[in-house]
């Protein structure tokens, strides 16, 4: 399987140099299956997805493709190079302060009006026309007479590539995190193929992320068509894969996740060869049951609850050390939750303000 490499300009520095990203393309031998778009490292410190793409490219060279695959590692050159000492600060656009993964375009299409104009088309023609509409919307935004921010331009260029695909995977990591998957509720069965133990089932609400920017307009269209008695399956699938903790690359672990992606692509017919999903326990909860725990006071934190491990109600979550209160009973505060949960990620630093988002936990889990 021949891999071709190109690059895409996504911006310019103040000194005039171009900001570019690499693009790897694998063309199908028999183009009968869904096309795939996979990107990584939109947040500067979240580097593990690059290792997964590396392993995936190597594996794909020995498989027969029935759908085109586009892979975009290092998707945010400005964020990746946003360093301070030992640490990468590339979670927020340094110019606007906006989260890099909240920069994608909300098309805000008038679905009823669009369908009214196109309802005479066949289902295949509807899908083709709506895809063109989304791409045109991206281009219109990029061509705004008022211009667009650096981060928004980069995001929409990535989004435009994603809109051309039928399957979109956005590879991320958390601060200190276990693996988890963001999966739209309509595509819940897909979660059984990835090598990921925990899944968040997300509704049809646009929050600014890549996966939502891809599936939300399609979900809205197909739901509206259903109200008119015309039922077809949502033709795109989009997921965010959280692959552990940031500022870390592990090639052996990346191979496990690459094989999980292959299992899903095999299931979708993108590769001819059969790849079975890993045998493992998988659990999920709905996004409404994914809770944020904010620190009730500032201080130094001992994180006691291990990510990815079930935590019973009343078991220790963390300790807050306050040396300024030494000699009182408030020098050490134990934090607990009153319900069973699974901690999924926690803040990266051991020093926190009051109100810091200390943990994110899944509650009301069910097996999938």
């Amino acid at each position: 399987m021949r891999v071709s490499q190109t690059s895409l300009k996504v911006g310019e520095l103040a000194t005039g140099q171009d900001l570019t990203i690499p693009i790897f393309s694998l063309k199908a031998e028999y183009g009968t299956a869904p096309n795939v778009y996979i990107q990584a490292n939109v947040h500067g410190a979240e580097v593990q997805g690059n290792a997964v793409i590396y392993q995936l490219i190597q594996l794909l060279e020995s498989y027969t493709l029935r759908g085109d695959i586009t892979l975009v590692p290092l998707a945010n050159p400005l964020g990746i190079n946003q360093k301070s000492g030992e640490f990468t600060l590339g979670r927020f656009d340094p110019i606007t302060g906006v989260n890099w993964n909240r920069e994608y375009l909300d098309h805000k299409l008038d679905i009823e009006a669009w369908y009214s104009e196109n309802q005479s088309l066949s289902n295949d023609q509807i899908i083709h026309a709506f895809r063109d509409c989304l791409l045109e919307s991206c281009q219109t935004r990029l061509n705004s007479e008022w211009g667009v921010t650096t981060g928004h331009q980069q995001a929409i260029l990535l989004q435009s590539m994603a809109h051309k695909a039928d399957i979109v995977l956005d590879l991320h990591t958390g601060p200190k995190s276990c693996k988890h998957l963001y999966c739209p509720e309509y595509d819940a069965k897909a979660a059984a193929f990835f090598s990921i133990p925990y899944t968040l089932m997300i509704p049809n609400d646009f929050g600014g992320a890549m996966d939502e920017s891809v599936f939300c307009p399609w979900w809205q269209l197909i739901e509206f068509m259903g109200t008119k008695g015309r039922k077809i399956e949502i033709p795109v699938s989009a997921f965010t894969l959280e692959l552990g903790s940031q500022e870390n690359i592990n090639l052996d672990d990346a191979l496990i996740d690459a094989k999980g992606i292959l299992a899903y692509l095999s299931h979708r017919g993108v590769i001819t060869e059969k790849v079975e999903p890993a045998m493992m326990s998988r659990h999920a909860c709905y996004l409404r049951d994914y809770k944020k725990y904010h620190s009730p006071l500032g201080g130094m934190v001992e994180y006691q609850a291990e990510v990815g491990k079930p935590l019973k109600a009343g078991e220790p979550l963390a300790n807050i050390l306050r040396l300024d209160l030494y000699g009182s009973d408030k020098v050490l505060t134990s934090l607990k939750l009153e319900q069973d949960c699974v901690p999924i990620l926690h803040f990266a630093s051991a020093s926190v303000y009051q109100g810091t988002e200390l943990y994110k936990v899944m509650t009301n889990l069910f097996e999938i």
Side-chain angles (χ1 to χ4, degrees), residues 7-48:
S7 64
L8 174 69
K9 178 181 173 180
V10 294
E12 295 177 0
L13 297 175
T15 48
Q17 287 93 341
D18 290 346
L19 287 167
T20 62
I21 57 175
I23 300 173
F24 296 88
S25 300
L26 295 87
K27 293 296 182 182
E29 297 179 36
Y30 310 97
T32 57
N35 293 325
V36 181
Y37 173 83
I38 303 174
Q39 70 176 27
N41 214 172
V42 164
H43 288 137
E46 300 182 10
V47 292
Q48 177 68 359

Side-chain angles (χ1 to χ4, degrees), residues 91-265:
R91 187 170 184 81
F92 302 97
D93 184 335
I95 301 169
T96 63
V98 177
N99 185 325
W100 289 109
N101 195 36
R102 300 294 183 271
E103 296 268 26
Y104 299 100
L105 179 63
D106 183 359
H107 295 283
K108 297 181 179 178
L109 299 173
D110 185 335
I111 295 294
E112 183 175 357
W114 187 90
Y115 181 69
S116 177
E117 294 176 2
N118 293 275
Q119 59 185 320
S120 63
L121 300 177
S122 69
N123 288 346
D124 286 345
Q125 290 172 328
I126 283 275
I127 291 170
H128 182 79
F130 194 66
R131 195 184 302 274
D132 284 347
C133 175
L134 296 175
L135 290 168
E136 183 180 349
S137 175
C138 287
Q139 196 59 47
T140 298
R141 183 71 186 96
L142 289 172
N143 293 336
S144 168
E145 64 175 319
W146 300 104
V148 293
T149 67
T150 304
H152 198 41
Q153 173 167 293
Q154 174 179 277
I156 296 174
L157 288 169
L158 296 172
Q159 186 177 351
S160 295
M161 287 190 285
H163 276 318
K164 295 175 184 177
D166 309 294
I167 297 169
V168 174
L169 306 180
D170 193 12
L171 308 184
H172 285 258
T173 61
K176 299 295 182 181
S177 174
C178 69
K179 294 180 185 179
H180 54 291
L181 173 74
Y182 285 86
C183 177
E185 292 176 4
Y186 71 83
D187 220 353
K189 292 181 180 179
F193 293 91
F194 298 101
S195 300
I196 294 179
Y198 296 104
T199 296
L200 291 159
M201 299 295 180
I202 54 179
N204 191 10
D205 295 322
F206 180 75
M210 165 60 91
D211 56 351
E212 297 160 342
S213 76
V214 172
F215 69 66
C216 279
W218 286 102
W219 198 345
Q220 292 161 8
L221 173 66
I222 301 310
E223 280 192 337
F224 180 78
M225 289 173 62
T227 66
K228 300 300 181 182
R230 188 172 181 178
K231 297 187 182 298
I232 64 172
E233 291 188 3
I234 298 174
V236 302
S237 298
F239 312 93
T240 295
L241 282 65
E242 298 279 355
L243 304 172
S245 300
Q246 64 189 27
E247 298 280 29
N248 179 68
I249 275 186
N250 183 314
L251 286 170
D252 291 338
D253 206 33
L255 182 59
I256 293 172
D257 288 312
K259 289 179 178 178
I261 291 171
L262 277 181
Y264 176 69
L265 298 185

